[in-house]
Amino acid sequence: MHRHISFSPHREYRFYQGPIASCVANGIQAVNFLGDRFLRKYRSSAGIEELYAHSVNSAFSPTEDFLVTGAPHASAYYPRNLAWFYPDVLDPETILDSEDAFRRVRLLEKSVRLMLEAVRANVVTTTIVPAGRDRYIGVNYFSLPSDTLLGVLAGLEQIIRADQRTSSYLAMAQGARAGRLLLAEYRDDLKNAISQLADTLEPFDNDGLTALLCDVNAPRSAATDTRAERRRFVTNACVYATFVRAIRLGVIDRSELEGLLGRSLSQYKKELLALFGRHGYVRHALDCGDGPAASSIALDFVNVHRGFWDLSEASERALFAATTDLILGEPRFRIPGTFHFLVSADNPQNKMIHKIAAPAYQGRSCWPTFNVEFADRMLEYDEFSGTDKYRSCARDILRDIRTATETHGGYQELLSEKGRKYRTWAYQGAVAHSWFPRFLSVWRRAYGTPLLSWNSQRLEAVPA
């Protein structure tokens, strides 16, 4: 029996910003993080199917107002995650049943609507912290965002395209209709926000190579937001990916955007690649010094799903492969004896709070989800190059993530450089329930068959 989805009624959200509001938000977050550190009960190791079912039921609970990662992040909304960490929430092959489909579509619609209301209120921040019924505080951790609008557009695009994958779930078609209504309702607000983002870009010249950057004078936040460098590849790649999604969704016309940039979109990207790839590989940041090549690379160069990279282009494939080969060839990038790759070979320049509380948080630690995207880009490279250069490595990455998930009793936010749960006196990584479906999607791409037996049986029952 199909269940009709009653989507979110139009609610009056209130958003707050400013020093006092930020203090309140910081207090809420501090209590949540420290409470989680000392009160969390660990789940014992278990089989992958049991863990996945538990994660799905936790991540897409009908009591949630927006998509969350898992403790300790569950008290706040991180819009970037819609692009970085759960771009495949509505992949039918990761859905347990029609009830699961219903809950996912409804929660994604609620999440996107909340973020669109924030955009309308000009609250485009890294984080939204609940502060009472329908009241939210917009706060930036730890600088202005480069990828918040990217997340909003990615979430909106995902729900709009929900009915474009083969599926028997009625919720997908209902979700797609709701997504199209959201786009129509908030198109002008999104266009204004995109125009404002374009206006923040500044020209930067480096020995004759010039490009528009979002972080010439101060750091901008991205998924690896604790890193304090300026002029980072990932932040600027996120801005480019935001523009591409905005054009694809019809939020802004290409010619109008190019008028704001003062150059074509293709030229804008070409300049970024020339600037960050001038040494033949992608440098993480332009102010990270002149040390060894492997020390100037970060794993987040893989960017987001359907984001920066176009590996149908031979020149981009060459740059991607050169950067990838440096990572694969540098032992310091890997947890010994595994295919778990660290964010970087060395710990980066950090904000003071992270030097004290979690010094390797986005340096010499392994984020399974970045590894999943690394594997996905590898598979994409092979697909467009007509080779099998990286497929076996991609499979090994995913295999080791599965092992870690079963060993540690859940899909981990990050692992230490020794392959254990990342824990410090102040912080322990989340069990990232909502990130788990993306892993299943990439596993299917790498191995050609679903990871979970219930999925295989269901697919066999569907006529070819």
Side-chain angles (χ1 to χ4, degrees):
M1 181 177 177
H2 292 299
R3 183 174 178 181
H4 180 74
I5 298 178
S6 176
F7 288 104
S8 306
H10 200 286
R11 294 155 59 179
E12 183 180 346
Y13 298 101
R14 295 186 181 182
F15 296 92
Y16 303 89
Q17 284 183 289
I20 295 176
S22 292
C23 287
V24 173
N26 291 338
I28 293 171
Q29 289 291 79
V31 169
N32 182 63
F33 271 70
L34 289 175
D36 176 78
R37 173 64 180 85
F38 296 108
L39 299 177
R40 183 193 302 183
K41 295 180 180 179
Y42 283 102
R43 189 177 179 85
S44 60
S45 60
I48 197 74
E49 298 200 16
E50 178 186 343
L51 292 170
Y52 185 72
H54 172 72
S55 286
V56 165
N57 289 329
S58 298
F60 309 119
S61 167
T63 63
E64 298 287 358
D65 280 332
F66 47 79
L67 270 166
V68 299
T69 291
H73 306 291
S75 70
Y77 183 21
Y78 302 84
R80 66 165 53 101
N81 290 3
L82 291 162
W84 275 100
F85 302 134
Y86 27 81
D88 275 334
V89 165
L90 300 186
D91 179 356
E93 293 184 11
T94 71
I95 294 175
L96 298 176
D97 51 34
S98 59
E99 179 64 24
D100 183 24
F102 165 80
R103 289 188 286 120
R104 293 195 197 195
V105 170
R106 188 170 185 275
L107 185 55
L108 182 58
E109 187 269 345
K110 290 170 66 178
S111 301
V112 171
R113 180 179 289 278
L114 171 60
M115 212 40 250
L116 288 170
E117 281 288 322
V119 171
R120 175 169 285 178
N122 200 29
V123 180
V124 182
T125 54
T126 69
T127 313
I128 300 291
V129 179
R133 180 170 176 79
D134 293 337
R135 290 172 168 78
Y136 299 91
I137 298 171
V139 62
N140 287 314
Y141 297 121
F142 292 87
S143 52
L144 293 173
S146 67
D147 54 359
T148 287
L149 285 175
L150 176 61
V152 176
L153 293 171
L156 182 57
E157 184 174 26
Q158 186 175 176
I159 194 168
I160 286 173
R161 300 182 188 279
D163 60 351
Q164 295 185 10
R165 286 172 157 170
T166 302
S167 169
S168 60
Y169 299 124
L170 180 62
M172 298 301 185
Q174 295 176 340
R177 286 194 294 273
R180 290 190 287 270
L181 291 173
L182 286 173
L183 176 58
E185 183 178 354
Y186 293 95
R187 190 191 306 272
D188 289 344
D189 304 293
L190 287 169
K191 181 179 178 179
N192 289 337
I194 295 297
S195 299
Q196 290 173 22
L197 177 62
D199 286 341
T200 66
L201 304 183
E202 299 179 64
F204 176 76
D205 183 275
N206 184 262
D207 294 333
L209 290 175
T210 303
L212 290 176
L213 302 184
C214 69
D215 53 357
V216 171
N217 298 309
R220 290 289 286 260
S221 174
T224 42
D225 58 359
T226 68
R227 301 178 70 106
E229 303 102 332
R230 297 174 301 159
R231 304 158 192 167
R232 295 171 64 198
F233 173 76
V234 66
T235 53
N236 289 284
C238 283
V239 172
Y240 170 83
T242 302
F243 293 153
V244 171
R245 284 190 186 269
I247 292 170
R248 190 161 64 218
L249 282 171
V251 170
I252 191 169
D253 183 75
R254 176 184 289 268
S255 61
E256 185 175 357
L257 177 60
E258 291 178 340
L260 294 172
L261 298 176
R263 61 203 11 95
S264 69
L265 199 61
S266 60
Q267 181 64 24
Y268 168 52
K269 183 178 187 181
K270 182 179 179 181
E271 291 171 355
L272 289 176
L273 288 171
L275 186 61
F276 288 97
R278 68 183 306 163
H279 299 292
Y281 58 89
V282 178
R283 288 175 65 86
H284 166 67
L286 300 181
D287 63 350
C288 63
D290 296 319
S295 296
S296 62
I297 297 171
L299 193 62
D300 60 9
F301 91 96
V302 298
N303 206 253
V304 298
H305 174 57
R306 300 183 69 192
F308 182 83
W309 291 98
D310 179 5
L311 296 180
S312 67
E313 291 287 337
S315 60
E316 293 194 37
R317 284 202 305 273
L319 194 56
F320 174 85
T323 312
T324 294
D325 291 344
L326 283 170
I327 292 173
L328 299 184
E330 173 54 67
R332 291 185 303 130
F333 250 109
R334 192 181 307 198
I335 295 175
T338 74
F339 279 81
H340 290 308
F341 292 93
L342 308 178
V343 176
S344 57
D346 304 295
N347 284 331
Q349 176 186 351
N350 276 336
K351 301 285 186 180
M352 182 57 68
I353 187 174
H354 296 98
K355 290 179 181 178
I356 297 171
Y361 181 63
Q362 287 172 343
R364 289 194 56 77
S365 60
C366 167
W367 287 61
T369 190
F370 288 155
N371 278 256
V372 166
E373 295 308 317
F374 193 25
D376 195 50
R377 296 302 93 71
M378 288 180 174
L379 297 169
E380 201 170 340
Y381 176 95
D382 283 0
E383 177 183 321
F384 284 110
S385 66
T387 68
D388 274 329
K389 181 175 182 178
Y390 294 121
R391 181 171 296 275
S392 63
C393 183
R395 287 177 171 176
D396 289 338
I397 288 171
L398 299 171
R399 179 204 65 208
D400 282 359
I401 293 173
R402 173 185 178 169
T403 299
T405 300
E406 293 180 315
T407 299
H408 297 302
Y411 191 88
Q412 300 298 304
E413 179 193 25
L414 71 165
L415 302 170
S416 75
E417 63 181 305
K418 296 185 179 179
R420 303 182 186 130
K421 291 181 179 181
Y422 184 82
R423 302 180 70 189
T424 70
W425 68 271
Y427 178 79
Q428 58 182 341
V431 178
H433 295 308
S434 57
W435 302 2
F436 211 156
R438 174 64 177 155
F439 171 67
L440 261 64
S441 298
V442 179
W443 180 284
R444 171 65 187 271
R445 183 177 190 180
Y447 284 92
T449 57
L451 172 61
L452 306 182
S453 61
W454 59 264
N455 205 334
S456 299
Q457 294 165 2
R458 189 177 66 194
L459 290 176
E460 289 171 2
V462 175

